[in-house]
Amino acid sequence: MKLFEGLAQYGPQALGVLRIMTALQFIEHGTQKLFNFPPGPHAEALTGLALSSGILEFAGGVLLAVGLFTRPVAFLLCGEMAIAYFMAHAPRDFFPVNNGGDSAISFCFIFLYLIFAGPGAFALDNRNNAKA
């Protein structure tokens, strides 16, 4: 449709906004685990997998938000979300809406897309390309 043909030129900016907004939501999961902010129902001492996931979510989210090492970070976070889904959510119920894993699935596939698409606009990864 001619109506949407002109939008293709804004693909890098849309991808950059998707990366940034996803990262900001992901950071929130990390800050809730690490700092209990925002306060949640599962405030407890962190050990093992919960501590590791909190660190990955916070640090990985910050790196994605600024667009630094986007592809390798997205690779790690995609794997983390796949593992989180199958270890924590899938055993509760078959259906993601019932097991609380729908956000883990969404994060996983957005990160998978970022592995292939790259950071889009507004990323520190692009600073070398700007000099050319």
Side-chain angles (χ1 to χ4, degrees), residues 19 27-28 32 36 48 54 60 69 77 81 83 91-92 101 103 106-107 113 117-118 121 124:
R19 173 185 47 80
I27 290 168
E28 188 175 22
Q32 189 171 54
N36 195 31
F69 308 117
L77 298 181
M81 288 294 96
I83 291 167
R92 294 184 198 159
S103 65
S106 295
F107 280 129
Y113 178 67
L124 291 178

Side-chain angles (χ1 to χ4, degrees), residues 34-111:
L34 296 174
F35 312 118
N36 195 31
F37 181 81
H42 304 293
E44 56 201 44
L46 291 179
T47 58
L49 286 175
L51 178 62
S52 300
S53 66
I55 292 169
L56 279 172
E57 289 163 7
F58 180 71
V62 169
L63 288 171
L64 280 185
V66 298
L68 189 60
F69 308 117
T70 301
R71 285 186 162 112
V73 170
F75 179 79
L76 287 172
L77 298 181
C78 177
E80 181 207 1
M81 288 294 96
I83 291 167
Y85 180 78
F86 288 108
M87 285 184 71
H89 299 285
R92 294 184 198 159
D93 193 285
F94 177 78
F95 298 102
V97 71
N98 292 337
N99 67 27
D102 36 3
S103 65
I105 293 169
S106 295
F107 280 129
C108 182
F109 280 91
I110 291 170
F111 296 148

